[in-house]
Amino acid sequence: MAEDSVSKTLEELSKKLDLIMKRLEALEMLILENPKYSELAPLLRLTRAGVGIYGEPLKILERLKKLKNF
């Protein structure tokens, strides 16, 4: 895979994970506003944490690629 392709793939994955995180945050806010679904809030927090675990290494890789090309 060419370096450009790898950079694009990393960028796309990072953007998708950011979008997923924003959606999970929105869902969590809706759940917290509605006491009927309050038991779901901890599950969403865990899901956000899990997605975040994947997001951080991708961001680090993106930064390293940018530094390499600098």
Side-chain angles (χ1 to χ4, degrees):
M1 203 181 261
E3 277 190 48
D4 258 0
S5 180
V6 170
S7 292
K8 269 189 176 178
T9 302
L10 286 174
E11 186 177 326
E12 288 172 8
L13 285 173
S14 184
K15 285 180 182 179
K16 287 177 183 179
L17 284 173
D18 287 342
L19 180 61
I20 290 169
M21 290 294 285
K22 287 178 185 176
R23 288 179 176 177
L24 287 171
E25 287 172 20
L27 282 172
E28 186 176 4
M29 293 305 292
L30 287 171
I31 285 172
L32 290 174
E33 290 173 3
N34 189 340
K36 179 179 171 182
Y37 301 112
S38 63
E39 71 274 359
L40 296 175
L43 296 173
L44 272 176
R45 284 189 199 109
L46 286 173
T47 303
R48 275 186 33 213
V51 172
I53 288 171
Y54 288 100
E56 288 308 310
L58 285 176
K59 289 178 183 178
I60 291 169
L61 285 172
E62 278 186 66
R63 289 181 194 133
L64 289 173
K65 289 291 288 175
K66 287 177 185 177
L67 285 174
K68 183 180 175 189
N69 294 329
F70 185 69

